[in-house]
Amino acid sequence: MQAAIGAGYRHLDCACDYGNERAVGAGIATALRDKLCRRDELWVTSKLWNTYHEPKHVRAACERSLKDLGLEVLDLYLVHFPIALAFVPFDVRYPPEWFHDPKAAQPAMKPIDVPYRETWGAMEELQRAGLVKRIGVCNLNISMLRDLLAQCSIRPAVHQLEMHPYLVQPRQLRYCQQERIAVTAFSPLGAPSYLPLGMALANESVLVDPVVTRIAAAHGRTPAQVVLRWGVQRGCVVIPKTQSPTRLAENLALGDFTLTVEEMQAIDGLDRNRRFNDPGHFCEKAFNTFFPIFD
């Protein structure tokens, strides 16, 4: 954490489900104590987990994240997935993850019926109460996002979704820009985040794609820098994941080169509609529950 903030990072993308908010909070406290930054220079995001979609649980979930992060207010709070699961009390298991009862003979997810609009209404109350500055969504299709915009009192400020050169999502990006919703691209480098999880193959990495490596060589940059620059030039916030101090610096060094129109179009043309983070696939394989959200 200190290495990232010391290198110049100011956006910390967190979530209950990541299981590390207490450690992140300790890192933030140390960085503030050591005067690496001020609190108002940090943008801290967290996310409402699937088991807290019932409106009566939304505030408690947010307050737990705030407590673990050691903060009084979040800059952004997102609904992590459009997936509502049965509540798991904090003292039973936290973070609750995906299985309702991991010790069951046949563990599985336990979906419940909670209209997304009701969850969003509770999210709006968090903003009105001053616990969060902004609220947003993740992993919605356009129809669901359009429906939310037609009903909400407070519009989502951000839509966080998977986006990389093998999943370009031009309609999502255009629609969000039309509606003045900022887009955060998670997994902006594509496959590397999913290789250790068995959710991607090595030959699916855009970082070895000939188009990307050719453009990288032309600019004297790494393939990762080219892919991240492509995302930034499209108007997205990109949130690459790394634990390497060298790559922290590399991923941040994007402001002193620009891709040409032709290079941007060439990378756009790599689209395979390849989604790595797809509950319709991984929920059945990993959690014994078929739960598509994109089809």
Side-chain angles (χ1 to χ4, degrees):
M1 178 62 63
Q2 285 79 8
I5 293 175
Y9 284 82
R10 295 295 182 265
H11 181 187
L12 307 178
D13 184 74
C14 310
C16 156
D17 188 53
Y18 301 161
N20 64 353
E21 288 192 325
R22 206 176 274 181
V24 171
I28 291 172
T30 300
L32 296 177
R33 182 199 67 199
D34 294 346
K35 301 187 186 310
L36 296 179
C37 65
R38 300 189 311 271
R39 170 63 184 98
D40 63 2
E41 294 176 322
L42 291 176
W43 177 293
V44 183
T45 297
S46 188
K47 306 180 188 74
L48 179 79
W49 186 238
N50 304 337
T51 52
Y52 308 127
H53 274 226
E54 291 177 272
K56 63 184 178 182
H57 299 308
V58 170
R59 179 162 182 152
C62 179
E63 290 176 337
R64 175 60 188 261
S65 284
L66 284 168
K67 178 182 176 182
D68 287 350
L69 291 165
L71 302 175
E72 295 182 356
V73 62
L74 289 168
D75 298 280
L76 176 65
Y77 198 47
L78 305 171
V79 183
H80 206 148
F81 281 99
I83 297 174
L85 300 180
F87 176 65
V88 177
F90 296 152
D91 59 355
V92 171
R93 192 171 64 255
Y94 190 88
E97 302 180 338
W98 293 82
F99 284 131
H100 182 67
D101 181 4
K103 297 180 181 179
Q106 294 183 319
M109 296 160 53
K110 187 176 180 180
I112 58 174
D113 294 328
V114 180
Y116 195 88
R117 175 64 187 90
E118 293 184 7
T119 303
W120 186 257
M123 294 284 286
E124 292 176 337
E125 289 303 316
L126 297 179
Q127 184 167 331
R128 293 189 185 103
L131 295 177
V132 304
K133 294 182 180 179
R134 304 162 190 85
I135 52 177
V137 298
C138 303
N139 301 301
L140 298 190
N141 61 38
I142 292 177
S143 291
M144 193 169 185
L145 182 57
R146 190 189 300 275
D147 188 58
L148 177 62
L149 291 174
Q151 301 179 60
C152 65
S153 298
I154 300 177
R155 293 165 60 89
V158 174
H159 188 187
Q160 186 177 126
L161 64 162
E162 181 180 349
M163 191 176 285
H164 46 76
Y166 287 167
L167 185 67
V168 174
Q169 303 219 61
R171 292 180 180 176
Q172 272 275 14
L173 180 59
R174 181 177 176 182
Y175 182 70
C176 286
Q177 290 174 337
Q178 173 185 302
E179 295 297 328
R180 300 179 182 270
I181 299 171
V183 172
T184 298
F186 74 76
S187 303
L189 299 177
S193 295
Y194 300 96
L195 289 171
L197 303 174
M199 295 165 65
L201 302 175
N203 63 5
E204 292 184 293
S205 175
V206 71
L207 301 183
V208 297
D209 191 287
V211 171
V212 172
T213 57
R214 172 178 57 78
I215 294 172
H219 287 271
R221 300 287 175 156
T222 66
Q225 287 176 314
V226 165
V227 171
L228 294 176
R229 181 66 204 180
W230 168 81
V232 169
Q233 280 188 220
R234 298 180 83 212
C236 299
V237 177
V238 294
I239 47 173
K241 177 182 177 182
T242 184
Q243 296 179 339
S244 164
T246 299
R247 287 180 178 169
L248 282 173
E250 175 188 315
N251 292 344
L252 200 61
L254 305 176
D256 58 350
F257 77 103
T258 302
L259 301 178
T260 67
V261 172
E262 292 75 19
E263 289 168 337
M264 291 291 292
Q265 291 173 344
I267 297 174
D268 288 346
L270 298 177
D271 193 12
R272 301 178 180 180
N273 198 32
R274 175 61 166 106
R275 190 185 303 275
F276 297 105
N277 194 326
D278 186 347
H281 293 152
F282 71 74
C283 284
E284 186 166 25
K285 292 180 180 179
F287 306 116
N288 305 318
T289 309
F290 178 55
F291 207 106
I293 64 174
F294 296 116
D295 301 315

